[in-house]
Amino acid sequence: MTGRIDSVRAYVDNIFDHIEDADEKRDAYIHSYGVSHCCVLLAAKRGLNTELAAAIGLLHDVYRYKTGISALHSQNGAEMVRVAFKYIMMDVFSDDEQTIIKSAIYHHANKGYVHDEYDELLKDADILQRLALDNTYGWFYGMRLKSTMKELSLPLPNITVLPDGESAPQVFSKSLAADIAEALAGKNVTGEKSDTDFMKIIRYYPEDSIFEGLKNGWCAAFVYHCCLEAGLVLPIRVPHTAHKVANARFNGVGGWYDWGMDSGYCFFVKDGFTPERGDIVVYNDIIPKENKEENSKWHDHIGIVLSCDSESLIVAEGNVDNKNVSGILKRTCDDTIGCYIRIPQDYSYDGWKIDYKTGEIKTVDYMER
């Protein structure tokens, strides 16, 4: 392989070498390098670029192995690699090559749907690598494995394929989000590495610089954590495609505000809106100037509503007034209230339907290809 793959190896090896659990570290190396080899094999068979295929295989699960979080690891992995291409692996791949790699990572968990050729390459390689380890497969995994073995003129494996069945979507509960926020804020969590609750709040963000980056600025990360714990399914940045990248992740107030506005979830008191327990409040220039950066935008703080009346709110907040500690506060209902975000009780994340390259909906069923 080339020096470009050496750069990718150095990046992933650094992540894997810092995994504390020996079994998890071994799995990271075996699976990622194994998928990379399978990607190269299938790329050679399908007439695709084997170097790109090798990189895709090595990078596809870096988010899961770095954070220990499997949920949405494909979408979050593409976001993690986007940042790595910007700062760590600068100029290693062209813009078009980066898009191919990120698209494959973004879509690889959606085995039941068909995307572009490199996306499909990774999905098939991801399953093929597990052949020696698994003998029971979900429906689409099993169908893909059988198809890939036939493509390679190999005998069909003796496996069990489970019947096709859709899993029930995870349901978000804003009342539960309020319960979680109230309990967590009441613990007076401090933004220090020694505080295990704080480290759980920021664990979704994979960069090594995240602790310093969120120091005295983790109110939005607090809200994101509480909402995820209450069943919300949402990647760390929405949208994130080759077509459009959100200005901020959900560890920033701007990420919440922009997503709320784009989704139609933002509401304003001037329009007659009355907040409820579990709603998210976005503040308007509530942080004292001496406690925030110059030229900060108006939406400078965020929290989860616990109760309210006509004059005040009781709110659970992380990083109260940018002083690096959580708390439960009484806030006056005045012009420091910018807006509220109300996430619907039946909210379901459907970003996986968006094609990474075009930013448009694309849902081609694997069995109907």
Side-chain angles (χ1 to χ4, degrees):
M1 285 295 175
T2 67
R4 301 207 301 176
I5 297 303
D6 288 339
S7 296
V8 177
R9 284 173 173 164
Y11 172 70
V12 300
D13 286 358
N14 181 60
I15 292 171
F16 298 164
D17 286 345
H18 284 84
I19 298 174
E20 295 183 359
D21 184 85
D23 291 338
E24 184 72 4
K25 180 184 292 188
R26 181 170 58 250
D27 181 74
Y29 271 106
I30 292 173
H31 179 61
S32 299
Y33 275 82
V35 170
S36 181
H37 293 159
C38 290
C39 280
V40 171
L41 173 67
L42 291 176
K45 180 71 170 63
R46 298 175 184 180
L48 301 177
N49 185 308
T50 55
E51 185 184 40
L52 278 184
I56 288 168
L58 287 171
L59 291 167
H60 81 287
D61 270 352
V62 287
Y63 180 84
R64 179 165 67 90
Y65 288 121
K66 180 63 183 290
T67 65
I69 299 171
S70 294
L72 297 176
H73 74 280
S74 52
Q75 288 90 345
N76 287 337
E79 161 66 4
M80 177 178 174
V81 170
R82 180 191 69 83
V83 176
F85 283 151
K86 187 175 181 180
Y87 296 107
I88 300 175
M89 293 183 283
M90 295 179 293
D91 303 322
V92 175
F93 297 98
S94 70
D95 289 346
D96 287 344
E97 289 172 329
Q98 289 182 28
T99 296
I100 289 171
I101 293 169
K102 289 182 290 185
S103 178
I105 296 170
Y106 186 93
H107 290 298
H108 83 267
N110 300 116
K111 302 294 198 294
Y113 294 89
V114 177
H115 297 90
D116 289 351
E117 52 192 1
Y118 285 93
D119 307 341
E120 294 303 292
L121 175 85
L122 176 56
K123 294 175 193 177
D124 293 338
D126 196 17
I127 296 170
L128 185 61
Q129 189 276 331
R130 291 291 188 185
L131 179 59
L133 306 174
D134 298 329
N135 57 18
T136 301
Y137 292 80
W139 174 257
F140 289 111
Y141 283 66
M143 293 299 101
R144 278 186 177 274
L145 179 59
K146 289 182 177 182
S147 177
T148 302
M149 297 295 283
K150 183 177 180 180
E151 176 186 357
L152 296 174
S153 300
L154 296 173
L156 294 178
N158 182 22
I159 62 172
T160 299
V161 179
L162 301 176
D164 185 17
E166 294 186 3
S167 58
Q170 192 165 323
V171 178
F172 169 69
S173 168
K174 71 173 186 176
S175 62
L176 179 57
D179 293 344
I180 293 169
E182 186 171 18
L184 190 57
K187 295 173 72 173
N188 298 127
V189 176
T190 57
E192 302 294 342
K193 290 183 178 180
S194 58
D195 193 313
T196 56
D197 286 314
F198 177 70
M199 298 308 291
K200 289 178 181 178
I201 288 170
I202 68 171
R203 73 184 189 274
Y204 310 98
Y205 314 103
E207 290 75 32
D208 292 334
S209 60
I210 195 62
F211 176 77
E212 290 300 325
L214 291 182
K215 194 171 182 65
N216 295 92
W218 47 277
C219 58
F222 172 87
V223 171
Y224 182 74
H225 170 73
C226 294
C227 288
L228 261 60
E229 289 290 296
L232 185 66
V233 177
L234 198 63
I236 57 176
R237 186 187 293 268
V238 176
H240 168 222
T241 67
H243 179 71
K244 182 179 180 180
V245 178
N247 292 324
R249 290 175 173 177
F250 287 104
N251 60 8
V253 182
W256 279 104
Y257 176 71
D258 290 344
W259 176 74
M261 289 296 291
D262 290 344
S263 304
Y265 300 156
C266 278
F267 300 91
F268 299 84
V269 174
K270 64 181 178 62
D271 297 324
F273 181 79
T274 301
E276 298 174 353
R277 181 177 173 86
D279 287 337
I280 297 169
V281 56
V282 177
Y283 295 106
N284 172 35
D285 283 326
I286 198 171
I287 301 298
K289 290 184 179 180
E290 63 270 19
N291 290 343
K292 64 180 181 180
E293 297 179 0
E294 291 186 21
N295 302 318
S296 297
K297 293 186 177 180
W298 67 265
H299 42 67
D300 59 356
H301 198 51
I302 194 169
I304 295 181
V305 176
L306 302 181
S307 64
C308 65
D309 56 35
S310 60
E311 297 182 350
S312 62
L313 302 171
I314 304 298
V315 188
E317 300 175 5
N319 193 44
V320 175
D321 294 333
N322 284 9
K323 294 182 179 179
N324 217 33
V325 63
S326 70
I328 297 174
L329 293 90
K330 185 176 183 179
R331 298 287 195 183
T332 303
C333 293
D334 54 20
D335 58 6
T336 61
I337 305 298
C339 67
Y340 296 95
I341 298 173
R342 176 170 291 173
I343 303 172
Q345 291 288 89
D346 60 350
Y347 173 80
S348 177
Y349 172 71
D350 60 0
W352 59 270
K353 296 180 181 179
I354 304 298
D355 181 73
Y356 182 86
K357 294 185 178 73
T358 66
E360 299 177 355
I361 292 177
K362 180 181 180 180
T363 54
V364 179
D365 191 283
Y366 179 75
M367 300 306 294
E368 298 176 0
R369 68 196 190 283

